[in-house]
Amino acid sequence: MQKTFYQCITAAKLARTSMTTAFAMLLLGAFAGAAQSNESSYTKIDFDTCVTLSADSMGAQLVCPGFGGYGVFFKEDDLRQAVQFGHVDQGEVFESFGAFNRINETVEWRVNVSGVPIATILRWFLENPDPDSGISTPQYLGQVLVISRVGQPGDARACVVGYVDALGNKDANVLAREVADNVAADFACGAEAPAFYGFRTELASEPARSIP
């Protein structure tokens, strides 16, 4: 049924993702100049305006107002958060990070010339643990821009399509918009795995994804 409203990684892990990142950059280069007419619109996630779908001791599922009739579907489980946008299926999809995390309140919607939001950009704060103490500290706080495909009426594919390390790239927001404009629309949720674009630091924790 469709609804209208909705850790520190090691150098070894970084090495394993270098080829994927390089390919991702080549992919963006191939698309350079496309979808230049998309514009940005911004909304806030205000939990006071959300409707609680379910809640327990580990977290909750909420539906929040978004852009027009396109909602924000928020989930939290074991101090990890996940968000889907638009017209989505209420399944068991949960795309987050291995480290404890929290989202920013501002959502950037990429809107096409017809006024339809095709993608979103949302900042995640990753509470990576100090490798010595195992406790999360500000020194190890990571920030990643997560780009997601917006589910459409009759096409409820809504998922993460890419990541940009906000601390590792000078123009992180610009790069995230390029990913949103050129990757999101044709991204095959469930069949494709989202990649990191640009430079990735050790604070950009490994994603954790559950897509049935």
Side-chain angles (χ1 to χ4, degrees):
M1 179 177 181
Q2 294 182 3
K3 294 293 180 180
T4 301
F5 281 136
Y6 313 16
Q7 143 184 127
C8 179
I9 70 174
T10 63
K13 288 181 180 178
L14 286 174
R16 287 200 298 271
T17 60
S18 61
M19 289 297 292
T20 299
T21 300
F23 176 77
M25 292 305 294
L26 287 173
L27 180 63
L28 278 185
F31 284 125
Q36 293 301 309
S37 58
N38 292 341
E39 296 184 350
S40 291
S41 183
Y42 300 86
T43 62
K44 298 282 189 180
I45 298 176
D46 180 359
F47 291 118
D48 290 336
T49 65
C50 301
V51 175
T52 300
L53 300 176
S54 64
D56 56 30
S57 60
M58 297 297 288
Q61 297 186 30
L62 310 173
V63 180
C64 310
F67 178 86
Y70 292 79
V72 177
F73 186 21
F74 170 89
K75 296 181 182 180
E76 182 173 77
D77 184 41
D78 192 22
L79 300 179
R80 296 166 177 86
Q81 300 181 347
V83 187
Q84 289 178 283
F85 302 91
H87 301 257
V88 308
D89 288 326
Q90 289 191 47
E92 297 301 318
V93 174
F94 194 88
E95 296 184 280
S96 188
F97 293 87
F100 294 153
N101 58 75
R102 51 189 166 84
I103 60 171
N104 192 25
E105 64 178 7
T106 301
V107 180
E108 178 177 357
W109 302 77
R110 293 297 287 170
V111 183
N112 66 20
V113 293
S114 298
V116 176
I118 62 167
T120 61
I121 302 168
L122 181 61
R123 186 180 300 258
W124 250 257
F125 299 96
L126 312 180
E127 299 177 357
N128 300 298
D130 183 316
D132 296 322
S133 68
I135 299 173
S136 300
T137 64
Q139 178 183 356
Y140 291 94
L141 183 69
Q143 295 186 37
V144 174
L145 299 177
V146 178
I147 304 96
S148 298
R149 187 185 192 278
V150 175
Q152 304 296 330
D155 183 0
R157 293 177 297 161
C159 63
V160 174
V161 305
Y163 310 94
V164 174
D165 187 339
L167 302 181
N169 296 276
K170 181 179 179 180
D171 297 316
N173 289 296
V174 173
L175 179 55
R177 292 181 191 120
E178 292 178 356
V179 176
D181 293 349
N182 298 301
V183 177
D186 296 324
F187 191 86
C189 296
E192 294 184 70
F196 270 87
Y197 293 82
F199 185 77
R200 182 181 180 186
T201 70
E202 292 185 358
L203 297 180
S205 303
E206 195 71 13
R209 302 171 59 244
S210 176
I211 303 180

